[in-house]
Amino acid sequence: MEALGNLIGGFGVALTVPNLVFMLVGLLLGVLIGVLPGLGGANGVAILLPLTFSMNPTSAIIMLSCIYWGALFGGAITSILFNIPGEPWSVATTFDGHPMAQQGKAAQALAAAFTSSFVGALFAVLLITFTAPLLASFALRFGPAEFFAVQLLTFCSFVGMSREPAAKTICAMMFGFALAAVGMDSVTGQLRMTYGFPPLLKGFDFLIAVIGLFGIGEILLTMEEGLAFKGKSAKISPRVVFQTWAEIARYWKTFIRSTAIGCWMGITPGGATPASFMGYGMARRFAKDPHSFGKGNIEGVIAPETAAHAAGTAALLPMLTLGIPGSPTAAVLLGGLLIWGLQPGPMLFIEQKDFVWGLIASMYLGNLVGLIVVLTTVPWWAAILRIPFSVIAPVIIVICAIGAYTVHSSMFDVVMMMVFGVLGYLFKKLRYPLAPLVLALVLGDMAEASFRQAMLLSQGSLAIFWSNPLVGSLVALALALLLWPLWGALKSRVRARELGAAAP
């Protein structure tokens, strides 16, 4: 009941006229970011984050989170109409969404995608509403050892649950740790890896890195591939919407299954992209006609969109309660909170109650308004994609440069943005994941501080990480996830050897 009372108070914060305006602006910008293949949710939030420094933190986080919701919605438009994933998590939507569009069912596919996204996010927000206060109150018992164990679990989760090879994930993460270590040591005051270069005294700003890695890197790769927009047109009418709702209601099991997958992948943190593929795979496995998948089955649209939106929303739960982001976009939002002087974690629910519950209330409103916006404005976004990419790409690069410059009003940051852009391009070409790098860059200092505090408390003994059942279980789970790819590789090798021995 206390959560409901706090939520009502949060609606009082979110329903003020300025916050509603920021919510609508954020949603429109987010859909635009989701539609344009050269941008993404994390990069869009990173680019616009410097513009919110002068705003009230509550209004700023509402606007930025709504950019995220809009990007989640917008990615489905290009996937279905143009067979171009606007976001990485929209790849699975193209499998059945675009075939439906080619069959003249683009409106049905879009209505199903938007509704599925709304349902997945709604259940994830309900999860946040009723479990975040409990998790936050439980986290008040955490000390430095427990916080480091949670951070270790986060890093190991990326290794154990990533679709990329574990070696590449670890290399990307190690590079992020190295970047996080540049600058002044907060404990000893000594300089690390600055090499006598004054601009590096403050270290690498995660915002500059994210803008370059995601924005410029994606643009360079897209320009190399010579992207061209050719797709179907669509206009959604109320009749089509109600007919689609009646049809997709039959797939309530798929909704439940995909929501559970998405919430789990958002919290652990697996992310929206693997959640969408996992949701699609599970739907196909349990379908009565699995052979129809890939040929225009509406269930193949429902499953990935529900899972992706649930994962994207649930990723904010560990970010708010523990200060551990469950996705790259949540990592950017975490950096924004730190810039505004707000420390994510259990004390946030006590010291900044209006902020937290205003944000949670805006999640309900943002997803509802976002559903209405995308259902009524699809032709506008489809028309934008008919602009040549040779025009869109320079505009995006200029926006990225402005966003990088406004962080510290320094041209050095713009140069570093381009350097990180080239690095992001190389990472994508070599198929190295960027999310672990960003996570390590954001959490590297926090994890180091927690570890060093734990070592000071234990006088240098690692036994502190097994000193009680809570921290011991977290560390054990982290190590199990870290070694999981090794166990899988070992099983595959043994199976291959057995098959080789059985062959004549």
Side-chain angles (χ1 to χ4, degrees), residues 114-261:
F114 297 150
T115 305
S116 302
S117 298
F118 172 76
V119 172
L122 178 62
F123 279 99
V125 177
L126 287 170
L127 176 72
I128 293 174
T129 302
F130 293 104
T131 62
L134 299 175
L135 186 56
S137 60
F138 176 69
L140 287 172
R141 308 175 188 174
F142 282 25
E146 284 79 9
F147 274 113
F148 176 75
V150 171
Q151 289 153 356
L152 179 65
L153 178 60
T154 305
F155 297 134
C156 293
S157 295
F158 268 88
V159 177
M161 303 186 69
S162 175
R163 297 176 62 88
E164 302 292 337
K168 290 188 174 182
T169 302
I170 293 174
C171 287
M173 200 173 291
M174 292 300 105
F175 190 73
F177 287 138
L179 293 176
V182 174
M184 184 177 292
D185 186 343
S186 59
V187 177
T188 64
Q190 294 180 340
L191 297 179
R192 302 188 298 193
M193 295 189 289
T194 58
Y195 305 107
F197 195 50
L200 291 180
L201 293 177
K202 63 181 183 299
F204 291 109
D205 194 293
F206 85 97
L207 265 180
I208 308 302
V210 168
I211 292 173
L213 290 170
F214 286 94
I216 304 299
E218 186 66 33
I219 286 293
L220 292 175
L221 192 66
T222 307
M223 290 170 64
E224 180 189 34
E225 294 172 351
L227 180 64
F229 299 135
K230 297 178 182 179
K232 303 293 181 179
S233 60
K235 185 176 182 180
I236 301 178
S237 64
R239 181 176 61 84
V240 171
V241 172
F242 289 121
Q243 287 178 347
T244 305
W245 285 352
E247 181 180 358
I248 65 177
R250 297 187 290 113
Y251 299 105
W252 58 273
K253 291 182 180 179
T254 302
F255 278 111
I256 294 175
R257 189 188 308 116
S258 297
T259 299
I261 291 171

Side-chain angles (χ1 to χ4, degrees), residues 332-367:
V332 177
L333 291 175
L334 171 64
L337 295 182
L338 296 174
I339 291 172
W340 295 319
L342 300 173
Q343 180 63 50
M347 294 304 295
L348 190 68
F349 284 75
I350 299 174
E351 298 173 351
Q352 301 289 340
K353 185 175 290 189
D354 288 345
F355 170 84
V356 172
W357 290 102
L359 171 61
I360 293 175
S362 74
M363 295 180 189
Y364 289 96
L365 296 173
N367 279 286

Side-chain angles (χ1 to χ4, degrees), residues 34-82:
V35 164
L36 295 175
L39 289 176
N43 188 52
V45 173
I47 293 171
L48 297 174
L49 181 56
L51 304 180
T52 64
F53 290 165
S54 60
M55 293 170 55
N56 176 283
T58 304
S59 300
I61 197 70
I62 287 175
M63 177 177 169
L64 292 172
S65 62
C66 284
I67 291 174
Y68 188 24
W69 315 144
L72 284 165
F73 278 117
I77 297 175
T78 51
S79 298
I80 292 172
L81 297 183
F82 294 85

